[in-house]
Amino acid sequence: MRYFSFYILQCLILSILVISCASCESDNQETNNNTDNDSIEFYFGSDLSYVNEMEDCGAVYKDQSGVEKEVYSIFKQEGTNLVRLRLWHNPDWTDYSNYSDVKKAIQRAKNSNMKVLLDFHYSDTWADPSRQLIPEAWLSELNNTEALGELLYNYTYNTLNELSQENLLPEIVQVGNEINTMILQEDETNGPIDWQRNSYLINKGIKAIRDISELKNKPIEIMLHIAQPENGLWWFEQATTNGITDFDWIGLSYYPLWSEYELDEVQVPLETLINTYNKKLMIVETAYPFTLNNADSANNILGEEALTGDFPASEQGQLDYLNQLYIIIKDAGGQGLVYWEPAWVSTNCFTQWAQGSHWDNATLFDNSGKATLGIKFYNKALNN
């Protein structure tokens, strides 16, 4: 009996040691993850918001060798270290880019050991420089800035809190998408920005992210996103003058087609933004056509007029454009480049406007689903 008691005591001590070691391993793993996050000098990103829908529509993705693979693993193997995902508030016209869909996408990114940039559109549909439409559920508070701020704060806070409960917190969060004009508007008018209203609302979103970050003891960086560098110059000047200063990243869309700056000119405004505001900078949207052919009845958005410099509409031209833009961003002091919707391939499904994809000639997959040469851009991440 005495021997048995001693044996039980030994087992208890051993169990405690095992649990303690497991805890230490968990702590070390958390520390290592944080260190890994801090060690990323440049983000090589892919906006994969369309992937879940495309797969449901029958899309198949293949690597450079023509082997069919899970699409997140293709990007990871090439060197992608950041996945960007858009989130609409209550898009009753689609089953995608809502909370459920985004949660699934974040899980896929985490499973592939990639960081996540979550893009709050603060709308039920596409938010862009020409429209920042308020969610239908918030419309009654359109002219009540304080109440609207509380809705925005609570939505942002609760969304991130729910993601946290499933270990899905993103590493970077955008407060709005291409917010060149005033956020949370009733229509598509682009009048002067009411900065008292605009700064109050944006700062409420920022505060929600900071509060969750503190509560969960997890660093979450904040990004403000403007379309085209020339608009970033005036927007950030006005924003900081009006009290919007607590953010980490300047995010920009850069498509030469819609910018005042050609590719060989864009380094100057990037440097100006970085040096003026002492913030990190990332191009969070860009793309380049690998062909001018159209695969379906959905007209291509990027046609011949989208070509720039000496880069033709070819797979090599696509890769060369990305390589050159990467060099420009790095030389300017920037720290990231995200390709917008590289997997929005042509399928039998419909957009809001037509059957197929409006981006099928500017993805990083050809019309057979095989990765283009452009995807080799991400290899730089493996060599850094």
mmCIF file of all heavy atoms in Angstrom, residues 55-81:
data_model
loop_
_atom_site.group_PDB
_atom_site.id
_atom_site.type_symbol
_atom_site.label_atom_id
_atom_site.label_comp_id
_atom_site.label_asym_id
_atom_site.label_seq_id
_atom_site.Cartn_x
_atom_site.Cartn_y
_atom_site.Cartn_z
ATOM 1 N N GLU A 55 -13.682 28.726 -56.172
ATOM 2 C CA GLU A 55 -13.646 27.265 -56.009
ATOM 3 C C GLU A 55 -15.052 26.681 -56.022
ATOM 4 O O GLU A 55 -15.282 25.618 -56.615
ATOM 5 C CB GLU A 55 -12.918 26.915 -54.715
ATOM 6 C CG GLU A 55 -11.418 27.172 -54.785
ATOM 7 C CD GLU A 55 -10.707 26.872 -53.493
ATOM 8 O OE1 GLU A 55 -11.356 26.914 -52.426
ATOM 9 O OE2 GLU A 55 -9.494 26.605 -53.530
ATOM 10 N N ASP A 56 -16.002 27.366 -55.383
ATOM 11 C CA ASP A 56 -17.395 26.901 -55.424
ATOM 12 C C ASP A 56 -17.949 26.946 -56.843
ATOM 13 O O ASP A 56 -18.883 26.220 -57.181
ATOM 14 C CB ASP A 56 -18.275 27.749 -54.500
ATOM 15 C CG ASP A 56 -18.016 27.472 -53.026
ATOM 16 O OD1 ASP A 56 -17.368 26.448 -52.720
ATOM 17 O OD2 ASP A 56 -18.448 28.283 -52.183
ATOM 18 N N CYS A 57 -17.365 27.805 -57.682
ATOM 19 C CA CYS A 57 -17.776 27.922 -59.085
ATOM 20 C C CYS A 57 -17.007 26.965 -59.991
ATOM 21 O O CYS A 57 -17.161 27.006 -61.221
ATOM 22 C CB CYS A 57 -17.581 29.352 -59.566
ATOM 23 S SG CYS A 57 -18.708 30.548 -58.807
ATOM 24 N N GLY A 58 -16.166 26.126 -59.400
ATOM 25 C CA GLY A 58 -15.472 25.102 -60.167
ATOM 26 C C GLY A 58 -14.056 25.431 -60.582
ATOM 27 O O GLY A 58 -13.437 24.663 -61.339
ATOM 28 N N ALA A 59 -13.497 26.530 -60.106
ATOM 29 C CA ALA A 59 -12.131 26.904 -60.482
ATOM 30 C C ALA A 59 -11.128 25.874 -59.975
ATOM 31 O O ALA A 59 -11.266 25.342 -58.870
ATOM 32 C CB ALA A 59 -11.791 28.278 -59.935
ATOM 33 N N VAL A 60 -10.131 25.613 -60.786
ATOM 34 C CA VAL A 60 -9.041 24.699 -60.438
ATOM 35 C C VAL A 60 -7.729 25.468 -60.581
ATOM 36 O O VAL A 60 -7.534 26.214 -61.545
ATOM 37 C CB VAL A 60 -9.033 23.469 -61.364
ATOM 38 C CG1 VAL A 60 -7.772 22.643 -61.139
ATOM 39 C CG2 VAL A 60 -10.285 22.619 -61.139
ATOM 40 N N TYR A 61 -6.838 25.299 -59.614
ATOM 41 C CA TYR A 61 -5.572 26.016 -59.631
ATOM 42 C C TYR A 61 -4.408 25.029 -59.712
ATOM 43 O O TYR A 61 -4.389 24.012 -59.019
ATOM 44 C CB TYR A 61 -5.443 26.882 -58.380
ATOM 45 C CG TYR A 61 -6.533 27.924 -58.280
ATOM 46 C CD1 TYR A 61 -7.649 27.712 -57.468
ATOM 47 C CD2 TYR A 61 -6.458 29.106 -59.011
ATOM 48 C CE1 TYR A 61 -8.662 28.661 -57.378
ATOM 49 C CE2 TYR A 61 -7.462 30.065 -58.931
ATOM 50 C CZ TYR A 61 -8.556 29.832 -58.116
ATOM 51 O OH TYR A 61 -9.556 30.773 -58.037
ATOM 52 N N LYS A 62 -3.438 25.371 -60.565
ATOM 53 C CA LYS A 62 -2.278 24.514 -60.772
ATOM 54 C C LYS A 62 -1.001 25.325 -60.563
ATOM 55 O O LYS A 62 -0.981 26.532 -60.811
ATOM 56 C CB LYS A 62 -2.285 23.957 -62.198
ATOM 57 C CG LYS A 62 -3.561 23.230 -62.580
ATOM 58 C CD LYS A 62 -3.581 22.912 -64.068
ATOM 59 C CE LYS A 62 -4.931 22.343 -64.494
ATOM 60 N NZ LYS A 62 -4.999 22.135 -65.964
ATOM 61 N N ASP A 63 0.038 24.651 -60.109
ATOM 62 C CA ASP A 63 1.310 25.340 -59.919
ATOM 63 C C ASP A 63 2.028 25.513 -61.254
ATOM 64 O O ASP A 63 1.475 25.179 -62.315
ATOM 65 C CB ASP A 63 2.181 24.619 -58.891
ATOM 66 C CG ASP A 63 2.615 23.232 -59.347
ATOM 67 O OD1 ASP A 63 2.486 22.909 -60.555
ATOM 68 O OD2 ASP A 63 3.107 22.461 -58.500
ATOM 69 N N GLN A 64 3.253 26.017 -61.225
ATOM 70 C CA GLN A 64 4.003 26.283 -62.447
ATOM 71 C C GLN A 64 4.277 25.023 -63.261
ATOM 72 O O GLN A 64 4.460 25.094 -64.478
ATOM 73 C CB GLN A 64 5.323 26.961 -62.083
ATOM 74 C CG GLN A 64 5.219 28.458 -61.886
ATOM 75 C CD GLN A 64 5.478 29.207 -63.182
ATOM 76 O OE1 GLN A 64 6.598 29.267 -63.670
ATOM 77 N NE2 GLN A 64 4.427 29.782 -63.754
ATOM 78 N N SER A 65 4.248 23.879 -62.589
ATOM 79 C CA SER A 65 4.481 22.605 -63.287
ATOM 80 C C SER A 65 3.201 22.022 -63.862
ATOM 81 O O SER A 65 3.228 20.950 -64.479
ATOM 82 C CB SER A 65 5.130 21.593 -62.338
ATOM 83 O OG SER A 65 6.367 22.083 -61.856
ATOM 84 N N GLY A 66 2.083 22.676 -63.627
ATOM 85 C CA GLY A 66 0.809 22.182 -64.128
ATOM 86 C C GLY A 66 0.141 21.179 -63.212
ATOM 87 O O GLY A 66 -0.838 20.535 -63.609
ATOM 88 N N VAL A 67 0.631 21.080 -61.978
ATOM 89 C CA VAL A 67 0.060 20.142 -61.013
ATOM 90 C C VAL A 67 -1.036 20.839 -60.215
ATOM 91 O O VAL A 67 -0.810 21.909 -59.636
ATOM 92 C CB VAL A 67 1.147 19.609 -60.056
ATOM 93 C CG1 VAL A 67 0.528 18.670 -59.017
ATOM 94 C CG2 VAL A 67 2.242 18.905 -60.848
ATOM 95 N N GLU A 68 -2.223 20.257 -60.192
ATOM 96 C CA GLU A 68 -3.346 20.835 -59.447
ATOM 97 C C GLU A 68 -3.071 20.759 -57.950
ATOM 98 O O GLU A 68 -2.720 19.699 -57.423
ATOM 99 C CB GLU A 68 -4.630 20.090 -59.780
ATOM 100 C CG GLU A 68 -5.862 20.664 -59.113
ATOM 101 C CD GLU A 68 -7.140 19.933 -59.503
ATOM 102 O OE1 GLU A 68 -7.152 19.281 -60.576
ATOM 103 O OE2 GLU A 68 -8.115 20.001 -58.726
ATOM 104 N N LYS A 69 -3.208 21.905 -57.275
ATOM 105 C CA LYS A 69 -2.936 21.976 -55.837
ATOM 106 C C LYS A 69 -3.904 22.917 -55.152
ATOM 107 O O LYS A 69 -4.584 23.718 -55.803
ATOM 108 C CB LYS A 69 -1.502 22.468 -55.577
ATOM 109 C CG LYS A 69 -0.404 21.506 -55.981
ATOM 110 C CD LYS A 69 0.970 22.066 -55.633
ATOM 111 C CE LYS A 69 2.076 21.103 -56.014
ATOM 112 N NZ LYS A 69 3.414 21.673 -55.712
ATOM 113 N N GLU A 70 -3.954 22.831 -53.832
ATOM 114 C CA GLU A 70 -4.733 23.778 -53.032
ATOM 115 C C GLU A 70 -4.097 25.151 -53.230
ATOM 116 O O GLU A 70 -2.882 25.314 -53.123
ATOM 117 C CB GLU A 70 -4.691 23.356 -51.560
ATOM 118 C CG GLU A 70 -5.749 24.026 -50.694
ATOM 119 C CD GLU A 70 -5.272 25.356 -50.145
ATOM 120 O OE1 GLU A 70 -4.040 25.556 -50.031
ATOM 121 O OE2 GLU A 70 -6.135 26.192 -49.832
ATOM 122 N N VAL A 71 -4.939 26.156 -53.540
ATOM 123 C CA VAL A 71 -4.412 27.427 -54.028
ATOM 124 C C VAL A 71 -3.596 28.178 -52.976
ATOM 125 O O VAL A 71 -2.584 28.813 -53.302
ATOM 126 C CB VAL A 71 -5.554 28.301 -54.586
ATOM 127 C CG1 VAL A 71 -6.513 28.725 -53.490
ATOM 128 C CG2 VAL A 71 -4.992 29.497 -55.326
ATOM 129 N N TYR A 72 -3.993 28.108 -51.704
ATOM 130 C CA TYR A 72 -3.206 28.777 -50.669
ATOM 131 C C TYR A 72 -1.804 28.162 -50.587
ATOM 132 O O TYR A 72 -0.816 28.876 -50.373
ATOM 133 C CB TYR A 72 -3.896 28.684 -49.310
ATOM 134 C CG TYR A 72 -4.972 29.716 -49.089
ATOM 135 C CD1 TYR A 72 -6.215 29.609 -49.707
ATOM 136 C CD2 TYR A 72 -4.766 30.813 -48.261
ATOM 137 C CE1 TYR A 72 -7.211 30.553 -49.507
ATOM 138 C CE2 TYR A 72 -5.747 31.772 -48.044
ATOM 139 C CZ TYR A 72 -6.970 31.627 -48.674
ATOM 140 O OH TYR A 72 -7.956 32.570 -48.489
ATOM 141 N N SER A 73 -1.725 26.855 -50.774
ATOM 142 C CA SER A 73 -0.411 26.200 -50.708
ATOM 143 C C SER A 73 0.456 26.605 -51.894
ATOM 144 O O SER A 73 1.684 26.693 -51.766
ATOM 145 C CB SER A 73 -0.572 24.676 -50.651
ATOM 146 O OG SER A 73 -1.057 24.163 -51.876
ATOM 147 N N ILE A 74 -0.167 26.867 -53.037
ATOM 148 C CA ILE A 74 0.602 27.330 -54.196
ATOM 149 C C ILE A 74 1.275 28.665 -53.878
ATOM 150 O O ILE A 74 2.479 28.851 -54.108
ATOM 151 C CB ILE A 74 -0.293 27.462 -55.436
ATOM 152 C CG1 ILE A 74 -0.780 26.087 -55.901
ATOM 153 C CG2 ILE A 74 0.450 28.171 -56.575
ATOM 154 C CD1 ILE A 74 -1.763 26.136 -57.058
ATOM 155 N N PHE A 75 0.496 29.590 -53.332
ATOM 156 C CA PHE A 75 1.061 30.897 -53.006
ATOM 157 C C PHE A 75 2.117 30.792 -51.906
ATOM 158 O O PHE A 75 3.160 31.443 -51.978
ATOM 159 C CB PHE A 75 -0.046 31.865 -52.595
ATOM 160 C CG PHE A 75 -0.806 32.425 -53.767
ATOM 161 C CD1 PHE A 75 -2.043 31.920 -54.116
ATOM 162 C CD2 PHE A 75 -0.267 33.439 -54.531
ATOM 163 C CE1 PHE A 75 -2.734 32.432 -55.209
ATOM 164 C CE2 PHE A 75 -0.939 33.957 -55.625
ATOM 165 C CZ PHE A 75 -2.184 33.445 -55.972
ATOM 166 N N LYS A 76 1.855 29.971 -50.917
ATOM 167 C CA LYS A 76 2.824 29.805 -49.834
ATOM 168 C C LYS A 76 4.137 29.240 -50.357
ATOM 169 O O LYS A 76 5.227 29.720 -50.005
ATOM 170 C CB LYS A 76 2.243 28.893 -48.750
ATOM 171 C CG LYS A 76 3.210 28.582 -47.609
ATOM 172 C CD LYS A 76 3.633 29.852 -46.867
ATOM 173 C CE LYS A 76 4.570 29.527 -45.721
ATOM 174 N NZ LYS A 76 5.015 30.741 -44.997
ATOM 175 N N GLN A 77 4.057 28.234 -51.196
ATOM 176 C CA GLN A 77 5.264 27.611 -51.739
ATOM 177 C C GLN A 77 6.053 28.581 -52.612
ATOM 178 O O GLN A 77 7.289 28.524 -52.662
ATOM 179 C CB GLN A 77 4.895 26.357 -52.539
ATOM 180 C CG GLN A 77 4.426 25.205 -51.663
ATOM 181 C CD GLN A 77 3.750 24.088 -52.451
ATOM 182 O OE1 GLN A 77 3.798 24.064 -53.675
ATOM 183 N NE2 GLN A 77 3.101 23.176 -51.746
ATOM 184 N N GLU A 78 5.361 29.493 -53.262
ATOM 185 C CA GLU A 78 6.052 30.479 -54.093
ATOM 186 C C GLU A 78 6.736 31.553 -53.249
ATOM 187 O O GLU A 78 7.690 32.192 -53.703
ATOM 188 C CB GLU A 78 5.069 31.133 -55.075
ATOM 189 C CG GLU A 78 4.589 30.209 -56.179
ATOM 190 C CD GLU A 78 5.697 29.782 -57.134
ATOM 191 O OE1 GLU A 78 6.743 30.462 -57.187
ATOM 192 O OE2 GLU A 78 5.522 28.767 -57.819
ATOM 193 N N GLY A 79 6.216 31.788 -52.030
ATOM 194 C CA GLY A 79 6.844 32.774 -51.161
ATOM 195 C C GLY A 79 5.913 33.813 -50.574
ATOM 196 O O GLY A 79 6.353 34.694 -49.835
ATOM 197 N N THR A 80 4.611 33.749 -50.893
ATOM 198 C CA THR A 80 3.658 34.700 -50.325
ATOM 199 C C THR A 80 3.675 34.601 -48.803
ATOM 200 O O THR A 80 3.626 33.507 -48.250
ATOM 201 C CB THR A 80 2.233 34.412 -50.834
ATOM 202 O OG1 THR A 80 2.226 34.453 -52.258
ATOM 203 C CG2 THR A 80 1.235 35.419 -50.301
ATOM 204 N N ASN A 81 3.737 35.748 -48.125
ATOM 205 C CA ASN A 81 3.726 35.719 -46.661
ATOM 206 C C ASN A 81 2.586 36.541 -46.062
ATOM 207 O O ASN A 81 2.485 36.663 -44.840
ATOM 208 C CB ASN A 81 5.074 36.185 -46.088
ATOM 209 C CG ASN A 81 5.482 37.572 -46.585
ATOM 210 O OD1 ASN A 81 4.658 38.379 -46.983
ATOM 211 N ND2 ASN A 81 6.788 37.833 -46.559
#
